[in-house]
Amino acid sequence: MDAHGLGDAWDRVLGTQPAPPVWLVLAAGAVALVAVVAAPLWRLSRNIVTIAHEGGHGLVALLTGRRLSGIRLHSDTSGLTVSSGKPSGTGMILTAAAGYLAPPLLGLGGAALLAAGHITALLWTAIVLLAGLLVMIRNAFGVLSVLVTGAAFLLVSWYAGDRTQAVFAYLGVWFLLLAGVRPVLELQRKRRHGGAPDSDADQLARLTGVAAVLWVGLFLVTALASLLAGGSWLIGR
């Protein structure tokens, strides 16, 4: 690509793009909702939530000065982020809390970008974040998951028209906002039946002395508040 083409691409990233009609925004939300509530689709789409979840752990670990050893994503939609450093304290607490908070907060940030008309900027922000995550992935399935997701964003941002880019971006943001709720409910259901003794909420309880159910409540309130605020921004746009 020549300098003129790169300049045009950069102008698109910094500029604004028209939002799709409200009916398309609502249709994207409906498709995202089906991907979250329909069990067969959820088994596949939950991998995207795992990418955001583990990416949240990894990013906060780095921001708080911990050493990030690697991230693994598994085909059963579980994941593992390994970091080293002080086994307690603020950095460890923030790192442990970041997983369930990451998908809805990423969705909220995406909704803010879309509300401001920055559709291309959102797509390229996702590409940059996925590229950074890819460097830290330590297993084959994880590499494949991140590459496929990143390739989808790259192809749409580079080759698709404005309308297709907008629908893809709104679909992705709706999905993160809606999908931020279900894993928290699944977590509490597992805990209620004696499962997940080493969940993020239980680790946080051991680190802070605050009951695990209160951490689950924080995750749920954050997800619902993000969905309410982000959804209103998407529809209002």
Side-chain angles (χ1 to χ4, degrees), residues 19-222:
V22 174
W23 70 268
L24 266 181
V25 174
L26 295 175
V31 172
L33 181 61
V34 171
V36 171
V37 301
L41 293 177
W42 179 242
R43 282 193 289 271
L44 294 174
S45 63
R46 201 184 194 286
N47 286 293
I48 298 173
V49 181
T50 304
I51 291 173
H53 181 111
E54 300 303 332
H57 282 314
L59 178 60
V60 173
L62 291 174
L63 292 176
T64 56
R66 297 180 62 80
R67 272 195 317 278
L68 183 59
S69 302
I71 297 173
R72 301 177 71 88
L73 308 174
H74 304 131
S75 58
D76 63 356
T77 73
S78 65
L80 177 66
T81 298
V82 178
S83 65
S84 58
K86 189 177 177 182
S88 60
T90 303
M92 187 63 201
I93 293 169
L94 292 175
T95 298
Y100 283 98
L101 297 177
L105 292 180
L106 284 172
L108 186 63
L113 282 174
L114 293 182
H118 295 295
I119 295 171
T120 303
L122 181 142
L123 296 175
W124 278 93
T125 298
I127 292 168
V128 170
L129 291 174
L130 288 166
L133 177 62
L134 183 62
V135 175
M136 298 309 302
I137 297 294
R138 295 294 183 263
N139 67 320
F141 181 82
V143 169
L144 179 62
S145 297
V146 175
L147 280 177
V148 169
T149 305
F153 277 92
L154 183 61
L155 290 173
V156 169
S157 66
W158 203 260
Y159 295 108
D162 287 347
R163 177 63 60 85
T164 302
Q165 287 190 16
V167 172
F168 184 82
Y170 275 80
L171 177 61
V173 170
W174 270 122
F175 177 78
L176 287 175
L177 291 171
L178 291 164
V181 178
R182 181 165 177 173
V184 181
L185 300 177
E186 292 175 341
L187 168 63
Q188 185 55 24
R189 184 165 60 248
K190 288 180 181 178
R191 295 188 65 259
R192 192 167 57 245
H193 291 93
D198 292 320
S199 71
D200 293 350
D202 291 280
Q203 291 182 47
L204 285 163
R206 291 192 287 270
L207 286 166
T208 64
V210 177
V213 69
L214 295 181
W215 286 104
V216 175
L218 173 64
F219 299 155
L220 183 59
V221 168
T222 301

